[in-house]
Amino acid sequence: MRDGYYAGSSARTFWIVAAGERVGLVRAYDCGPLFDLRIRPDMRGRGIGAATLDWLTGYLFTELPHITRIEGQTRRDNHAMRKVFRGGGYVREAHYREAWPGSDGTVHDSVGYAILRRDWYAGTTTQPAWDE
C-alpha cells in the first residue's frame, strides 16, 4: 500500500478484535474527520460495528482535540450500518446518488453521516438545517 495509507500523520488504523480473533479493521484518515470500518461478513450482526464506532468516536475526539466533526458513509441499502450510525449519535447529512460502485457492476446510492464534537460531549444530536 501507499506510504501513510494505514499509518502516518493523516491516517490511523486499528484491528477490530473479538474473542481474541481479528474480525475487522477500522481506518481513520484525513486524520480524524473520515473513517472506513470493515467487519468480516461472518461476524456481522453481533454489535461489533456499534462498539467499534463508539470506541473510534471517543478515541478521535479525545486524541485529536482539533477536529470538530467525524464523517462516514455507507451504501443506502446497508440498513445495519445506517442503524449503527444513528445509534452512535451520528446524523444523516448527505445522500449521494449512484456514488458507490458494487462488485457486480451495480451503482448504489451512498449516505453520509457525521457527528459533531459538541453533540458527542453533550449527548445530543443537531439536525442539519435543510434550507432549500
Side-chain angles (χ1 to χ4, degrees):
M1 279 291 143
R2 299 185 315 256
D3 183 39
Y5 183 81
Y6 288 106
S9 62
S10 66
R12 297 178 187 195
T13 303
F14 305 91
W15 287 110
I16 301 167
V17 178
E21 183 180 357
R22 289 180 183 172
V23 299
L25 181 84
V26 62
R27 180 178 74 94
Y29 57 99
D30 286 348
C31 220
L34 304 170
F35 69 91
D36 186 21
L37 190 159
R38 307 283 173 146
I39 306 290
R40 261 184 15 211
D42 64 316
M43 298 302 288
R44 294 177 185 160
R46 301 178 187 204
I48 296 169
T52 301
L53 183 64
D54 287 346
W55 174 83
L56 180 67
T57 303
Y59 172 82
L60 292 173
F61 281 144
T62 302
E63 296 296 316
L64 303 172
H66 64 281
I67 65 170
T68 60
R69 58 184 283 114
I70 302 168
E71 305 171 29
Q73 290 185 38
T74 192
R75 278 180 26 177
R76 181 179 169 270
D77 62 343
N78 188 343
H79 300 289
M81 188 62 201
R82 293 178 71 182
K83 183 177 178 182
V84 166
F85 274 124
R86 290 189 305 271
Y90 283 67
V91 174
R92 188 179 74 159
E93 293 186 342
H95 189 116
Y96 304 100
R97 296 174 297 150
E98 298 181 7
W100 194 300
S103 58
D104 64 355
T106 304
V107 182
H108 303 271
D109 288 5
S110 175
V111 183
Y113 289 82
I115 189 168
L116 303 176
R117 174 185 291 276
R118 69 173 185 261
D119 283 346
W120 179 72
Y121 273 114
T124 61
T125 56
T126 304
Q127 297 296 319
W130 298 104
D131 299 337
E132 295 189 21

